[in-house]
Amino acid sequence: MKFGSSGVRGLASELAGRPSGLYTEGFARRLRSTGFHQGKVFVGRDLRDSSPAIAQDCMAALAASGFQPVDCGPIPTPALAFFARRHEAAALMVTGSHIPADRNGIKFYGPKGEIDKADEAAITLSVAELSDQYPWPPARGDRQAGHEQALAAFRDRVETSLPPGALSGMRLGVYQHSTVAAELLVEVLRFFGADVIPVGKTDTFVPVDTEAVGRETMAKVQDWVREFKFDAVVSADADADRPLVIDENAELFRGDLIGLATALFLKADVVVTPVTSNSGISEAFGFIVRRTKVGSPFVIEGMDAARQAGGIVVGFEANGGVLLGTDCLVNGGILSALPTRDSFLPILALLGTMASAGKSLSGLRETWNLPVCASERLENFPVETSRGLMHKLADRDALQRFLAPFGAVADVDETDGLRARMTSGEIIHLRPSGNAPEFRCYAEAASHHRATEIVAMALERARDAALADKVEAV
């Protein structure tokens, strides 16, 4: 287990029990070292099979460490973070987000919000120091219930985002699968007047990656769009910090475009987004753009720096999760800052923009006239294999040979992985996942067909290169 781009993650079988308690104790030590010695810590979880037991382990460890765990049950990550922030308390979310069901993770929040890389390093050090001496299991302490209160507070926040009836006349599908947002999304969209039809709910956990939506999922959505004539289908990943939006033509509305729509909706002065977001998102839209490495801690760090100059600061990732860095005026009221990924605000911002502009989702996309992007991943691609491949491709001659089928490399951005701009203007970005054994490729081109072709070819070459290295090693 280790910290990646969003929390600590690993196999659920390796996280359950003592390890989850150990990381929670490391978190408790970090809280005490920063002046938060006792008090409430709100605990939430997603709906994967391993999450309830891991959440119980975390709450037991918190109680043994002198904190008061508040059990918020299955709840969206942004709702948990918002409720904890309102109470100036810490929080802990048990979720593996979009990764497979046999894996899980824990996200940590201090009283001021999501922890940063320094916090992660301190927790990791404590885990190493305690690994041979941490007692387990601790006595089960008392915990308070907070599920209904946390959900109600978040619902109140969300329902101020648009005017009453703002989505009247829209026919929307909510792909419920196994996301903790399943019921709340339906309730909120109906609150704003939309005709909502829930689809695809399942008791079996479904890992939905909003950056690499599977063919099976897209096939289901296409059938629903044809059957119900939806204006859009919306959903979220397991813990609801990443939105999924499909347009009226059953085409994916990419996360970075959802983020762009949200930034425009909020009248942002500064946008902070990773290098994986569409390169066409620039100052031409009326805001300053600051690029970061992939991962919410890096976006939050960028937002913290941007706030010094004043103005409205909005962060978003290519997966569509939006982070609100400052308070802002929305629908005649103040929407408070929430510097953690949220799926609800971007979904409502996008649908609200669509309604006020009188355009379809595909029409909005065409209005912006941005390069076409595509992304996909190789799953079960060992971390060591990714590291070896990236080390080899760090040599410019090796990278040029690898990308030779796509033309000549003009320049390379090494902010996070290798983002090559070709002389044709196309972009090919190779990057190992920060939190799973996966290898990702992002591409930009003039057409969807070309972008997806580049991604498929590049990943095939990555797989072949890894196989060749393995054979050579043998």
Side-chain angles (χ1 to χ4, degrees), residues 275-333:
V275 292
T276 48
S277 290
N278 194 301
S279 64
I281 298 173
S282 66
E283 297 181 8
F285 284 95
F287 41 64
I288 297 169
V289 180
R290 298 188 177 183
R291 300 278 178 167
T292 72
K293 294 178 69 173
V294 174
S296 53
F298 299 109
V299 176
I300 291 170
E301 182 181 11
M303 293 195 304
D304 288 342
R307 276 202 303 270
Q308 308 304 317
I312 296 173
V313 180
V314 175
F316 62 82
E317 298 188 73
N319 56 47
V322 169
L323 306 90
L324 187 53
T326 53
D327 295 349
C328 58
L329 185 66
V330 175
N331 190 32

